[in-house]
Amino acid sequence: MPKTAYILLLLLASPHTQAQSTLEKVAAFTARLQQSPKDTNAVRLYLAIDSLYLYKMPDNDHILDSAILLSTQARDLSSQIGFPAGYDDAVFLLGNAYAEELKFPTAVQIMENTAGALKVRLQVMLAERYLFKPGELKPNLDTSYHFIAMARRLSDSLNSRPLRAKTLCLLAKYQFTTGNLTEGKHSFFQIIEESKRANDSFAEAYWWRSLGSYLPDNDSTFADEISSYKKALELYQKLGDKTESPSILRNIGYIYELHNQWDSAETYYLKDLEFKKANNDPNKVPSYSQLAHISFLKGNYQKSISYMQAALTNMEENKTPPQGAMYYQMGEAYHALADVDKSLFCYQAALRNLITGRDRYLFPIMSRTVQCYLEKGQTDTALAFANRFIKQYPTLRLVDKEIVASVLGDCYFQMGKYKLAEPYYNEMIQLDAQVKAQMHKEISI
């Protein structure tokens, strides 16, 4: 998985909260679709709504069934009006939706009934599904490689440089996943060299950046990661591109951060902010957020708070709602400064505004809120809050069950009810072992 997808950046980069913007877009596209004649524009609207359901909504049966219906409608209308591009996109989304629903035989059947570039797109999609599919490693990797080989043969026969690049990139991901680091790098170098021979500097920059993103992160790859991102940055800057440079600067900073080189990380985060200011970029939230995070890691808690306040001000200027993760980070800084009242205020604000990243952050913020009540000596309030919260939000993840057991144990312990606390602490210990075992399995996979 690319390191550019690190949690905080995902939570804070968008100028709107994901759930709100998605619902607004669905409503807007649906209203336009209702007024549209049955033409290419209607197909594009079907596809736009379908993409939101498939890629931006929770993966439940209702959402996926809606995605399948929308792509089927787009496919059928494209066929009726003779719109090949719409037809191909609709079939691709249809196969993707069935794969997301774990109905792989149906998705494979859809792929087998296609040809040309569309077939390659579906083969790549299926290969990635199996490559990153949880479960038994060997069978999934074997199936993934089968689709990769098919896609490579077909893309070569079509003599399409973009398709060859896409399939070689997929092969590199497979090679990285199976531990063949040298082979994976070689696959990326092939793509980069072909882009260079075609004098396609934008593609060359893109693939240098992709190499930096997909390289497994460890001490032995650190230099290659930094070098790949810097080569991409140099090319983008020569091209005068102002869109990609900020995120690459943050990516470089993040690699330094992963390797505990916090001063270097801060330097690149500051370069990102300076770049945005120089180019009048209105959305500086990702820049301020990363600076707040690195300041927190360095123990500069007041500085971290100042950066996060700047991020909140920037969102207000852009008339965008705040996000729970921002208040959570600020609460952590206030807590580190032993300002319990302000940290409690921030954690409560985080819970009120938590939309994006809800599953990951919900119970940790609850735990911090309870901790603040306990530190203020409000044990009854802490226990009542915890019980209300647990009743309202069922635990699904093992780590959340562990948090709940720990919180209840702490509440009863602080009340002096040690016999009531003991079974919760025992449960916490058992769950902790299960969580570690699960993490070990996921890492090994």
Side-chain angles (χ1 to χ4, degrees):
M1 182 173 183
K3 292 176 287 293
T4 50
Y6 52 94
I7 298 166
L8 191 60
L9 180 56
L10 281 182
L11 291 174
L12 302 176
S14 172
H16 295 278
T17 57
Q18 181 176 326
Q20 287 177 320
S21 62
T22 299
L23 293 174
E24 289 169 358
K25 288 177 182 177
V26 167
F29 288 143
T30 301
R32 289 168 56 188
L33 179 60
Q34 290 170 345
Q35 302 297 320
S36 174
K38 299 298 183 182
D39 56 9
T40 57
N41 183 60
V43 172
R44 293 189 180 97
L45 288 168
Y46 275 125
L47 295 173
I49 300 168
D50 188 26
S51 296
L52 292 171
Y53 271 89
L54 187 56
Y55 300 124
K56 300 294 185 180
M57 298 275 203
D59 292 336
N60 59 48
D61 291 341
H62 170 70
I63 294 297
L64 293 174
D65 287 345
S66 296
I68 289 169
L69 175 62
L70 287 160
S71 52
T72 301
Q73 290 172 315
R75 180 199 63 187
D76 294 347
L77 180 56
S78 296
S79 181
Q80 291 168 16
I81 65 176
F83 183 27
Y87 181 89
D88 284 358
D89 287 343
V91 171
F92 175 76
L93 288 173
L94 184 61
N96 212 331
Y98 277 116
E100 190 71 27
E101 223 175 18
L102 303 181
K103 294 180 179 178
F104 286 100
T106 304
V108 171
Q109 186 62 50
I110 290 171
M111 179 272 295
E112 290 177 344
N113 290 332
T114 62
L118 174 58
K119 193 164 197 167
V120 175
R121 290 172 65 192
L122 286 163
Q123 289 167 342
V124 168
M125 179 273 294
L126 287 165
E128 287 192 323
R129 294 281 181 177
Y130 278 99
L131 183 59
F132 301 114
K133 180 183 176 185
E136 296 300 324
L137 178 62
K138 186 67 166 61
N140 289 341
L141 287 178
D142 289 345
T143 304
S144 176
Y145 187 78
H146 168 71
F147 288 118
I148 293 171
M150 291 172 61
R152 290 203 65 203
R153 287 194 297 269
L154 183 53
S155 63
D156 285 343
S157 71
L158 295 170
N159 195 29
S160 167
R161 180 167 63 88
L163 289 178
R164 277 200 304 272
K166 185 171 286 190
T167 55
L168 263 174
C169 175
L170 183 56
L171 177 63
K173 294 179 194 177
Y174 171 86
Q175 289 161 336
F176 288 154
T177 301
T178 55
N180 295 314
L181 185 65
T182 301
E183 292 179 10
K185 287 163 57 178
H186 177 70
S187 294
F188 267 109
F189 292 153
Q190 285 182 261
I191 305 172
I192 291 166
E193 282 303 313
E194 190 167 354
S195 301
K196 189 180 294 185
R197 287 196 299 271
N199 294 317
D200 190 344
S201 296
F202 275 105
E204 187 183 350
Y206 173 84
W207 290 115
W208 275 118
R209 176 181 185 163
S210 298
L211 175 57
S213 297
Y214 286 108
L215 272 167
D217 177 64
N218 53 55
D219 289 342
S220 67
T221 61
F222 169 74
D224 285 334
E225 292 174 275
I226 295 294
S227 174
S228 298
Y229 278 130
K230 285 185 175 179
K231 287 176 180 175
L233 181 64
E234 181 182 0
L235 283 165
Y236 278 126
Q237 289 178 337
K238 283 182 179 178
L239 291 164
D241 182 86
K242 298 179 181 179
T243 303
E244 303 298 331
S245 294
S247 59
I248 294 177
L249 288 166
R250 289 196 302 277
N251 290 343
I252 295 172
Y254 181 63
I255 299 303
Y256 280 118
E257 181 184 320
L258 285 177
H259 292 264
N260 298 322
Q261 297 187 29
W262 294 340
D263 288 339
S264 296
E266 185 176 32
T267 296
Y268 276 90
Y269 292 151
L270 284 168
K271 286 182 179 181
D272 164 47
L273 179 60
E274 290 163 4
F275 186 95
K276 288 200 166 193
K277 287 181 176 179
N279 290 281
N280 297 315
D281 190 327
N283 180 26
K284 303 176 185 67
V285 173
S287 314
Y288 286 129
S289 300
Q290 289 308 122
L291 284 165
H293 179 62
I294 200 67
S295 297
F296 181 88
L297 291 178
K298 294 176 71 173
N300 297 327
Y301 303 123
Q302 193 58 57
K303 192 175 181 181
S304 176
I305 291 166
S306 296
Y307 278 127
M308 193 50 70
Q309 287 172 335
L312 288 166
T313 299
N314 185 226
M315 296 193 83
E316 186 176 349
E317 291 169 347
N318 294 328
K319 295 182 170 58
T320 55
Q323 299 183 30
M326 303 172 74
Y327 285 110
Y328 178 46
Q329 183 168 333
M330 194 152 55
E332 293 290 87
Y334 277 122
H335 196 264
L337 290 170
D339 192 330
V340 179
D341 289 331
K342 287 183 179 178
S343 60
L344 178 59
F345 173 84
C346 288
Y347 294 141
Q348 290 170 334
L351 289 173
R352 287 195 302 272
N353 292 279
L354 190 63
I355 298 176
T356 304
R358 190 173 184 82
D359 291 345
R360 184 181 296 272
Y361 280 93
L362 192 61
F363 282 89
I365 297 174
M366 179 275 287
S367 175
R368 285 302 212 184
T369 305
V370 171
Q371 186 178 351
C372 286
Y373 282 129
L374 293 176
E375 289 173 4
K376 288 166 66 70
Q378 299 175 7
T379 54
D380 290 340
T381 303
L383 181 59
F385 170 79
N387 283 326
R388 285 197 308 273
F389 190 94
I390 295 162
K391 185 176 181 180
Q392 184 176 359
Y393 302 105
T395 54
L396 300 176
R397 304 184 308 164
L398 281 175
V399 67
D400 293 335
K401 296 178 188 293
E402 181 186 0
I403 289 171
V404 166
S406 173
V407 162
L408 293 175
D410 287 345
C411 287
Y412 285 119
F413 185 87
Q414 290 297 321
M415 290 176 166
K417 299 179 179 180
Y418 305 124
K419 288 186 178 180
L420 290 175
E422 184 178 1
Y424 287 111
Y425 283 142
N426 287 333
E427 182 183 2
M428 179 192 71
I429 292 168
Q430 293 172 358
L431 286 165
D432 185 63
Q434 294 176 40
V435 168
K436 289 178 179 176
Q438 185 182 60
M439 290 176 63
H440 176 75
K441 182 179 179 182
E442 289 172 353
I443 291 170
S444 65
I445 289 172

